[in-house]
Amino acid sequence: MASTAAALLPPRRLAAAGLGNFLLLGLLYPILGPALPTLSEHFHLSGKGASLLLSLNSAGAFAGVLLAGGLSRSWPPPRRAALALGLLAAGCLGLILAPTFGLALASSGLLGLGFGVLDLTTNVWLSTAYGERSASMLNLLSASFGVGAVLAPLAVGLAGGDFHRPLLGCAALAAGLLPLMFTLRGAAGGVVTPAARATGRSRALLLGFVGLFLTYVAVEGGVGAWEVTHLQGVLDLTTASAASLTALFWVSFTVGRLVSAALALRLEPARLVTVSLVLAAASLALACVPVAAPTAYTLTGLFLAPVFTTGLVWLARTLPGSGVTTLVFASAFLGPVLFSPVVGAFKDVYGAPAIPVTLLGVTLLCLATALGLRRALRS
């Protein structure tokens, strides 16, 4: 039976809200990577300095997930989504107009805050709004995230490396979605329930899953953020050309999500996650060879695609409870906060070739965490 909330809402408007929200999230998630060379040149940043933009963006997303969870008991999903859209529009405009690096940092953090609120709100809202059809509807509607993730680097590339117009388009989309949220104000649901009291073993497993998702998002976000810089450095490409090649990572990532739906019927989650990480590590090792780097990054997107969604299923079966999922979801955004400065620092010391090597190291750490979890669950 469909939930009461779904019955009270116009299905087309609810679906349009989901499609629009996921499209906006997909557009914003990878856009800082192609914009990084232009921002670095404009503010005269080193690799470590540029990484602060990525770190603060991810820190804002972490805070946004926690804020969305806290507001879920008193604010209905459309109201939280409207707040997020306002934050995202303000962050986009702030980054476009920022006259100083300090204001650019603040705008990047504001973008992350809005991203985190909208990401958790939309996922939890749609996972309950359609009753028994919620899982299939969530998968269908979230496909627009992949479309946005492909379009964003292409838009930066077509703009000659200039991120201002693509960001202005994102601000316009956020503003355009606001009236739709106000028509859905009667919606209920999307409440994040607290986690149950944990035992010693479950705490250890929870820590393992936090490590798995934290390092995974560090790799996924790291490729999206640093691929342009790496390809520019080793292949002497323009920002526009490198940004266009980055779109292939997200194309293959989207295809990988579709393929992983079929693979998940044949492989248990733990095994699929582990195999995917092994293949991703191999493709990142290939990315260390300059001439093979564009192809290698495209393969990396294909291999990384199953890890997050399949890992969530693995987590839910091991440690049931939406509170646990929310905690791990939030912690995942800390990956770029911790590892983007590491990538930037190695890039400053050893040059652009250090970027895939560092990302490979983080991938191996993620793989080791997955293997450790599998061993712990067998004992």
Side-chain angles (χ1 to χ4, degrees), residues 286-308:
L286 182 62
C288 298
V289 181
V291 70
T295 301
Y297 281 126
T298 302
L299 289 173
T300 300
L302 183 68
F303 298 144
L304 286 178
V307 177
F308 192 89

Side-chain angles (χ1 to χ4, degrees), residues 49-341:
S51 71
L52 292 177
L53 288 165
L54 305 175
S55 294
L56 202 60
N57 182 261
S58 295
F62 171 77
V65 170
L66 297 181
L67 177 61
L71 290 175
S72 68
R73 294 185 176 279
S74 55
W75 287 30
R79 189 177 178 187
R80 278 176 276 143
L83 170 66
L85 292 170
L87 291 171
L88 288 170
C92 288
L93 293 176
L95 201 55
I96 291 169
L97 301 173
T100 66
F101 181 53
L103 288 175
L105 278 176
S107 299
S108 182
L110 192 62
L111 267 178
L113 184 68
F115 188 99
V117 174
L118 190 63
D119 198 12
L120 184 68
T121 296
T122 304
N123 274 286
V124 176
W125 181 12
L126 295 178
S127 69
T128 58
Y130 287 93
E132 293 178 357
R133 297 185 296 128
S134 292
S136 60
M137 286 300 295
L138 181 59
N139 280 320
L140 177 64
L141 296 175
S142 65
S144 63
F145 179 94
V147 174
V150 172
L151 291 177
L154 284 177
V156 175
L158 290 173
D162 183 7
F163 63 91
H164 293 85
R165 279 174 285 177
L167 268 183
L168 187 60
C170 291
L173 177 58
L177 288 169
L178 270 172
L180 181 58
M181 297 305 143
F182 292 130
T183 69
L184 299 173
R185 284 188 300 176
V191 177
V192 178
T193 58
R197 188 175 297 275
T199 64
R201 174 177 168 80
S202 64
R203 287 194 195 98
L205 291 173
L206 176 59
L207 186 61
F209 277 107
V210 166
L212 176 70
F213 281 87
L214 187 150
T215 50
Y216 166 75
V217 173
V219 175
E220 179 194 299
V223 174
W226 291 101
E227 182 183 353
V228 170
T229 303
H230 176 231
L231 294 180
Q232 276 188 297
V234 299
L235 296 178
D236 196 27
L237 298 175
T238 64
T239 300
S241 298
S244 298
L245 286 172
T246 302
L248 294 175
F249 170 81
W250 295 108
V251 169
S252 66
F253 185 88
T254 304
V255 171
R257 281 283 170 89
L258 297 174
V259 172
S260 65
L263 290 176
L265 298 175
R266 295 170 173 79
L267 297 174
E268 61 173 344
R271 187 177 181 186
L272 181 54
V273 167
T274 305
V275 171
S276 298
L277 288 171
V278 169
L279 293 173
S283 61
L284 280 173
L286 182 62
C288 298
V289 181
V291 70
T295 301
Y297 281 126
T298 302
L299 289 173
T300 300
L302 183 68
F303 298 144
L304 286 178
V307 177
F308 192 89
T309 49
T310 308
L312 284 177
V313 175
W314 187 14
L315 169 65
R317 292 180 182 177
T318 306
L319 298 170
S322 61
V324 170
T325 302
T326 302
L327 177 61
V328 173
F329 205 100
S331 300
F333 284 109
L334 292 178
V337 176
L338 298 175
F339 289 102
S340 284

